[in-house]
Amino acid sequence: MKIRKSLMTLLGVFALTHLAPVDAHAAAQRGASKKASVAKESPARATKLAKAAKVVAVRPTKPIKFARAESRRVKASHLAHAAPAAQRSAPVAAPDMDNEGNPLLHSAAFMIADQATGSVLLEKNSDAVLPIASITKLMTAMVVLDARLSLTEVLLVANEDVDTLRNSSSHVPVGTELAREDMLRLALMSSENRAASALGRNYPGGLPAFVAAMNRKAAALGLRDTRFADSTGLNSANVSSARDLVRMVSAASRYPLIREFSTTANYPVSLNGRVRQFNNTNALVSSPDWQIGVSKTGFINESGKCLVMQAWLLNKPMIIVLLDSFGRFTRVADAQRVKRWLESAAVQQKVAAAVRTPST
């Protein structure tokens, strides 16, 4: 029996090494039957073989995927080189610029002007007559200073100064006594309505006389679209246009105290024996990137968010008026867009001047 098995083994080896290759189809059938028999004998081994077959089946797909990706990259590269030069070099507008290179501002009405020359650099709806809210306080300050009233005189915040129109809050309680100078500072810096009301109420002749003086001042400055009804801006009847406000900001910039108080970042005030710090409503006055000469913010529902500034840009005094901005940060973001736009224009001008200037 052992001799028979040995002879069969030798014959099998001889057939594998010396006989011609068998038909591929027959070999496949024999391989399949062998796998089936192995699976019957050992389920664990069958599972192992199946896993190995799966791995082998997956491996060849990797080079194919890589080749297709390479093909796409080569095709894209080819198309890029094949595209006309004009198409490849076409300028793409920045996200905050229009096709003409002007900033896309989100304020409903605005004007940006060169204060030195009076030339208007950018405008939209600049003649629209709109409520101006606390921008009013710039005129309040000018009328107070024009009257040459004592800045050291102590004024009392009374019940008449409480906002009953909009029920707005205040950090200045009734009964507070402050010098007129501090009232002026709080009105301009922190837009304190009670301080602005006290300033108007303590004018010779009272608040009606003060409002009349505000409107006379507006007429003297040539502000044809501007009218005032109170000293705070809480009344929506206080209206103006962006064009008029450029003139009003320019006039306010001639008052040293308005420049100082409207751009003070913060200021501590003693209120009834307790020190409280007041902050500027315009965060840009604290930014090292800005050199601001005059600043005033404003907001009531009818006006939206407003911001006016005199700022030094391109080494020039520029006036920025932004009215009816929707959203908490829109007016500041618009001011930043204006700044980037002006600085970008300056860079282009410098490059153009360098090209025109012959080398020596």
Side-chain angles (χ1 to χ4, degrees):
M1 191 68 179
K2 291 182 179 179
I3 296 172
R4 184 179 177 184
K5 287 184 178 180
S6 299
L7 288 173
M8 290 180 68
T9 301
L10 289 172
L11 287 173
V13 172
F14 178 81
L16 288 172
T17 56
H18 293 85
L19 294 180
V22 296
D23 180 72
H25 179 69
Q29 287 181 338
R30 285 198 300 273
S33 62
K34 185 176 180 181
K35 288 180 181 178
S37 62
V38 170
K40 289 179 182 179
E41 293 177 358
S42 176
R45 186 182 176 195
T47 303
K48 185 177 181 180
L49 288 172
K51 289 182 179 180
K54 185 177 181 181
V55 171
V56 171
V58 171
R59 281 176 184 168
T61 64
K62 289 185 178 180
I64 293 173
K65 290 183 178 179
F66 178 77
R68 287 177 181 172
E70 283 293 321
S71 175
R72 285 195 295 268
R73 284 197 291 269
V74 170
K75 184 177 180 181
S77 176
H78 174 72
L79 290 175
H81 288 294
Q87 181 179 348
R88 293 199 305 270
S89 60
V92 179
D96 56 352
M97 298 286 182
D98 62 19
N99 292 331
E100 297 179 356
N102 295 324
L104 291 173
L105 305 185
H106 302 290
S107 300
F110 55 80
M111 179 177 277
I112 290 85
D114 184 332
Q115 183 179 2
T117 64
S119 60
V120 177
L121 306 177
L122 197 68
E123 63 179 322
K124 175 184 175 182
N125 297 329
S126 56
D127 293 319
V129 180
L130 303 168
I132 59 172
S134 287
I135 307 301
T136 295
K137 293 181 176 74
L138 287 178
M139 181 61 77
T140 297
M142 285 191 283
V143 171
V144 168
L145 294 172
D146 285 349
R148 299 185 180 278
L149 302 173
S150 171
L151 295 178
T152 59
E153 180 184 354
V154 175
L155 308 182
L156 174 70
V157 175
N159 287 323
E160 297 94 319
D161 302 317
V162 176
D163 172 25
T164 57
L165 180 63
R166 301 179 186 275
N167 298 314
S168 60
S169 61
S170 174
H171 295 301
V172 182
V174 172
T176 298
E177 294 182 344
L178 290 175
R180 181 176 275 109
E181 180 176 337
D182 283 338
M183 292 285 193
L184 190 60
R185 180 184 281 105
L186 294 184
L188 290 171
M189 181 185 73
S190 296
S191 205
E192 274 292 340
N193 292 314
R194 292 181 185 179
S197 177
L199 288 170
R201 192 172 49 79
N202 285 278
Y203 186 82
L207 187 59
F210 188 81
V211 172
M214 294 173 74
N215 286 308
R216 285 197 303 272
K217 179 74 172 180
L221 293 174
L223 311 183
R224 293 178 293 182
D225 301 322
T226 305
R227 293 179 297 279
F228 296 101
D230 74 353
S231 61
T232 64
L234 289 169
N235 194 323
S236 61
N238 290 13
V239 296
S240 188
S241 63
R243 188 177 303 278
D244 271 10
L245 289 179
V246 166
R247 288 191 175 190
M248 194 168 97
V249 173
S250 180
S253 70
R254 302 188 189 105
Y255 294 75
L257 282 182
I258 293 180
R259 293 199 303 269
E260 178 188 345
F261 293 168
S262 71
T263 59
T264 300
N266 48 71
Y267 187 76
V269 178
S270 178
L271 300 175
N272 301 326
R274 183 177 179 181
V275 176
R276 183 182 184 93
Q277 179 169 287
F278 289 81
N279 299 315
N280 202 302
T281 55
N282 180 9
L284 293 179
V285 301
S286 301
S287 172
D289 297 329
W290 284 84
Q291 185 180 353
I292 299 174
V294 172
S295 167
K296 192 70 200 75
T297 62
F299 171 75
I300 55 175
N301 290 331
E302 294 88 339
S303 71
K305 300 281 186 177
C306 304
L307 173 63
V308 299
M309 294 192 298
Q310 181 223 50
W312 286 81
L313 299 167
L314 309 182
N315 296 318
K316 296 180 178 181
M318 300 286 182
I319 296 178
I320 300 172
V321 174
L322 304 168
L323 301 180
D324 194 8
S325 299
F326 180 80
R328 182 179 178 185
F329 302 107
T330 301
R331 58 188 175 185
V332 173
D334 275 356
Q336 297 283 26
R337 291 184 186 100
V338 169
K339 184 175 185 294
R340 287 195 299 269
W341 171 67
L342 289 173
E343 291 172 345
S344 175
V347 170
Q348 294 175 7
Q349 291 172 4
K350 288 181 180 179
V351 171
V355 171
R356 291 193 299 268
T357 303
S359 58
T360 56

